[in-house]
Amino acid sequence: MKKFLAIFTGTSASMERWMTMNETERKAKEKLGMNGWKDWAFKNGSGIKDMGGPLSKTKRVDSHGIHDIRNSMAAYTIVEATNQEEAAKLFVDHPHFSIFPGDGVEIMEILPVPDMK
């Protein structure tokens, strides 16, 4: 089995739309979404190697120093599957974008580190 990093993405615009919902409607959708996420985790439990979690604000380090930046990464999970297509299928209709204001989930294989000798 191979390991895959799943990055949940979302934009500030979609989050702004979410926050403009009336509080009662938003709370009901949050509950529905969290129940959906739990159901997804239970259904795919054997393939989930690290449930991961939400991601906070981002700092970027480069040759010019440390900078605050924005990106679309919202959360991560690590799963195991036979190939990338099978890993991607785990996220079809995921609550992140079917209920919550997320845009999608990007799945990439975690490759072995090259020999560093």
Side-chain angles (χ1 to χ4, degrees), residues 73-92:
M73 292 184 270
Y76 81 97
T77 295
I78 297 174
V79 298
E80 257 186 359
T82 55
N83 58 51
Q84 190 175 28
E85 185 71 22
E86 292 303 312
K89 287 179 183 178
L90 297 174
F91 297 92
V92 171

mmCIF file of all heavy atoms in Angstrom, residues 73-92:
data_model
loop_
_atom_site.group_PDB
_atom_site.id
_atom_site.type_symbol
_atom_site.label_atom_id
_atom_site.label_comp_id
_atom_site.label_asym_id
_atom_site.label_seq_id
_atom_site.Cartn_x
_atom_site.Cartn_y
_atom_site.Cartn_z
ATOM 1 N N MET A 73 -4.929 26.043 1.536
ATOM 2 C CA MET A 73 -4.914 24.823 2.346
ATOM 3 C C MET A 73 -5.697 25.034 3.635
ATOM 4 O O MET A 73 -5.461 25.990 4.360
ATOM 5 C CB MET A 73 -3.476 24.402 2.646
ATOM 6 C CG MET A 73 -2.740 23.932 1.406
ATOM 7 S SD MET A 73 -1.088 23.336 1.780
ATOM 8 C CE MET A 73 -0.162 24.856 1.609
ATOM 9 N N ALA A 74 -6.644 24.113 3.901
ATOM 10 C CA ALA A 74 -7.517 24.252 5.061
ATOM 11 C C ALA A 74 -7.321 23.129 6.082
ATOM 12 O O ALA A 74 -7.535 23.340 7.270
ATOM 13 C CB ALA A 74 -8.975 24.284 4.608
ATOM 14 N N ALA A 75 -6.965 21.929 5.621
ATOM 15 C CA ALA A 75 -6.801 20.781 6.511
ATOM 16 C C ALA A 75 -6.023 19.704 5.755
ATOM 17 O O ALA A 75 -5.784 19.824 4.547
ATOM 18 C CB ALA A 75 -8.165 20.239 6.953
ATOM 19 N N TYR A 76 -5.641 18.645 6.474
ATOM 20 C CA TYR A 76 -4.962 17.526 5.816
ATOM 21 C C TYR A 76 -5.378 16.214 6.446
ATOM 22 O O TYR A 76 -5.849 16.159 7.584
ATOM 23 C CB TYR A 76 -3.433 17.682 5.881
ATOM 24 C CG TYR A 76 -2.863 17.225 7.210
ATOM 25 C CD1 TYR A 76 -2.330 15.938 7.351
ATOM 26 C CD2 TYR A 76 -2.882 18.044 8.323
ATOM 27 C CE1 TYR A 76 -1.826 15.506 8.576
ATOM 28 C CE2 TYR A 76 -2.386 17.619 9.547
ATOM 29 C CZ TYR A 76 -1.867 16.357 9.668
ATOM 30 O OH TYR A 76 -1.381 15.924 10.870
ATOM 31 N N THR A 77 -5.202 15.147 5.698
ATOM 32 C CA THR A 77 -5.389 13.769 6.159
ATOM 33 C C THR A 77 -4.383 12.912 5.395
ATOM 34 O O THR A 77 -4.049 13.218 4.251
ATOM 35 C CB THR A 77 -6.823 13.271 5.850
ATOM 36 O OG1 THR A 77 -7.749 14.041 6.614
ATOM 37 C CG2 THR A 77 -7.017 11.811 6.186
ATOM 38 N N ILE A 78 -3.899 11.841 6.008
ATOM 39 C CA ILE A 78 -3.039 10.885 5.314
ATOM 40 C C ILE A 78 -3.788 9.570 5.216
ATOM 41 O O ILE A 78 -4.307 9.072 6.217
ATOM 42 C CB ILE A 78 -1.689 10.703 6.038
ATOM 43 C CG1 ILE A 78 -0.920 12.037 6.029
ATOM 44 C CG2 ILE A 78 -0.867 9.586 5.382
ATOM 45 C CD1 ILE A 78 0.359 12.032 6.835
ATOM 46 N N VAL A 79 -3.875 9.045 3.988
ATOM 47 C CA VAL A 79 -4.573 7.780 3.758
ATOM 48 C C VAL A 79 -3.638 6.788 3.078
ATOM 49 O O VAL A 79 -2.604 7.177 2.528
ATOM 50 C CB VAL A 79 -5.843 7.974 2.888
ATOM 51 C CG1 VAL A 79 -6.843 8.877 3.584
ATOM 52 C CG2 VAL A 79 -5.501 8.508 1.504
ATOM 53 N N GLU A 80 -4.015 5.522 3.118
ATOM 54 C CA GLU A 80 -3.304 4.466 2.400
ATOM 55 C C GLU A 80 -4.243 3.886 1.363
ATOM 56 O O GLU A 80 -5.432 3.698 1.624
ATOM 57 C CB GLU A 80 -2.891 3.350 3.360
ATOM 58 C CG GLU A 80 -1.455 3.380 3.725
ATOM 59 C CD GLU A 80 -1.025 2.187 4.569
ATOM 60 O OE1 GLU A 80 -1.835 1.318 4.914
ATOM 61 O OE2 GLU A 80 0.167 2.151 4.873
ATOM 62 N N ALA A 81 -3.688 3.615 0.179
ATOM 63 C CA ALA A 81 -4.455 3.001 -0.906
ATOM 64 C C ALA A 81 -3.467 2.338 -1.864
ATOM 65 O O ALA A 81 -2.259 2.573 -1.797
ATOM 66 C CB ALA A 81 -5.285 4.044 -1.642
ATOM 67 N N THR A 82 -3.992 1.518 -2.770
ATOM 68 C CA THR A 82 -3.123 0.832 -3.723
ATOM 69 C C THR A 82 -2.561 1.785 -4.764
ATOM 70 O O THR A 82 -1.457 1.582 -5.259
ATOM 71 C CB THR A 82 -3.874 -0.311 -4.428
ATOM 72 O OG1 THR A 82 -5.052 0.213 -5.035
ATOM 73 C CG2 THR A 82 -4.243 -1.410 -3.448
ATOM 74 N N ASN A 83 -3.310 2.839 -5.107
ATOM 75 C CA ASN A 83 -2.828 3.819 -6.092
ATOM 76 C C ASN A 83 -3.549 5.151 -5.871
ATOM 77 O O ASN A 83 -4.475 5.244 -5.057
ATOM 78 C CB ASN A 83 -3.020 3.303 -7.535
ATOM 79 C CG ASN A 83 -4.458 2.981 -7.853
ATOM 80 O OD1 ASN A 83 -5.358 3.787 -7.638
ATOM 81 N ND2 ASN A 83 -4.700 1.770 -8.369
ATOM 82 N N GLN A 84 -3.146 6.165 -6.607
ATOM 83 C CA GLN A 84 -3.691 7.507 -6.424
ATOM 84 C C GLN A 84 -5.183 7.571 -6.753
ATOM 85 O O GLN A 84 -5.941 8.258 -6.075
ATOM 86 C CB GLN A 84 -2.908 8.506 -7.284
ATOM 87 C CG GLN A 84 -3.247 9.941 -6.966
ATOM 88 C CD GLN A 84 -2.375 10.913 -7.723
ATOM 89 O OE1 GLN A 84 -1.890 10.609 -8.817
ATOM 90 N NE2 GLN A 84 -2.162 12.082 -7.160
ATOM 91 N N GLU A 85 -5.607 6.867 -7.776
ATOM 92 C CA GLU A 85 -7.026 6.845 -8.146
ATOM 93 C C GLU A 85 -7.878 6.290 -7.007
ATOM 94 O O GLU A 85 -8.923 6.851 -6.671
ATOM 95 C CB GLU A 85 -7.217 6.001 -9.418
ATOM 96 C CG GLU A 85 -8.630 6.002 -9.952
ATOM 97 C CD GLU A 85 -9.058 7.315 -10.573
ATOM 98 O OE1 GLU A 85 -8.197 8.115 -10.977
ATOM 99 O OE2 GLU A 85 -10.275 7.539 -10.655
ATOM 100 N N GLU A 86 -7.420 5.202 -6.397
ATOM 101 C CA GLU A 86 -8.162 4.618 -5.276
ATOM 102 C C GLU A 86 -8.169 5.567 -4.076
ATOM 103 O O GLU A 86 -9.172 5.673 -3.372
ATOM 104 C CB GLU A 86 -7.585 3.252 -4.887
ATOM 105 C CG GLU A 86 -7.805 2.184 -5.938
ATOM 106 C CD GLU A 86 -9.277 1.971 -6.282
ATOM 107 O OE1 GLU A 86 -10.094 1.836 -5.356
ATOM 108 O OE2 GLU A 86 -9.599 1.960 -7.483
ATOM 109 N N ALA A 87 -7.062 6.243 -3.845
ATOM 110 C CA ALA A 87 -7.007 7.223 -2.758
ATOM 111 C C ALA A 87 -7.995 8.359 -3.031
ATOM 112 O O ALA A 87 -8.727 8.783 -2.134
ATOM 113 C CB ALA A 87 -5.591 7.766 -2.607
ATOM 114 N N ALA A 88 -8.035 8.832 -4.263
ATOM 115 C CA ALA A 88 -8.947 9.922 -4.619
ATOM 116 C C ALA A 88 -10.408 9.517 -4.430
ATOM 117 O O ALA A 88 -11.228 10.318 -3.980
ATOM 118 C CB ALA A 88 -8.687 10.368 -6.053
ATOM 119 N N LYS A 89 -10.731 8.281 -4.746
ATOM 120 C CA LYS A 89 -12.118 7.813 -4.611
ATOM 121 C C LYS A 89 -12.615 7.889 -3.172
ATOM 122 O O LYS A 89 -13.817 7.990 -2.942
ATOM 123 C CB LYS A 89 -12.242 6.385 -5.140
ATOM 124 C CG LYS A 89 -12.183 6.295 -6.646
ATOM 125 C CD LYS A 89 -12.287 4.852 -7.107
ATOM 126 C CE LYS A 89 -12.165 4.754 -8.621
ATOM 127 N NZ LYS A 89 -12.210 3.347 -9.071
ATOM 128 N N LEU A 90 -11.704 7.840 -2.204
ATOM 129 C CA LEU A 90 -12.104 7.944 -0.802
ATOM 130 C C LEU A 90 -12.760 9.286 -0.497
ATOM 131 O O LEU A 90 -13.504 9.414 0.474
ATOM 132 C CB LEU A 90 -10.894 7.761 0.122
ATOM 133 C CG LEU A 90 -10.171 6.419 0.083
ATOM 134 C CD1 LEU A 90 -8.922 6.470 0.948
ATOM 135 C CD2 LEU A 90 -11.098 5.300 0.546
ATOM 136 N N PHE A 91 -12.507 10.291 -1.319
ATOM 137 C CA PHE A 91 -12.962 11.652 -1.031
ATOM 138 C C PHE A 91 -14.132 12.118 -1.906
ATOM 139 O O PHE A 91 -14.564 13.262 -1.779
ATOM 140 C CB PHE A 91 -11.780 12.619 -1.157
ATOM 141 C CG PHE A 91 -10.710 12.325 -0.152
ATOM 142 C CD1 PHE A 91 -9.658 11.470 -0.476
ATOM 143 C CD2 PHE A 91 -10.764 12.843 1.128
ATOM 144 C CE1 PHE A 91 -8.678 11.162 0.456
ATOM 145 C CE2 PHE A 91 -9.787 12.533 2.065
ATOM 146 C CZ PHE A 91 -8.738 11.696 1.729
ATOM 147 N N VAL A 92 -14.659 11.242 -2.752
ATOM 148 C CA VAL A 92 -15.807 11.615 -3.580
ATOM 149 C C VAL A 92 -16.961 11.994 -2.656
ATOM 150 O O VAL A 92 -17.258 11.286 -1.693
ATOM 151 C CB VAL A 92 -16.191 10.456 -4.533
ATOM 152 C CG1 VAL A 92 -17.511 10.731 -5.230
ATOM 153 C CG2 VAL A 92 -15.082 10.227 -5.550
#
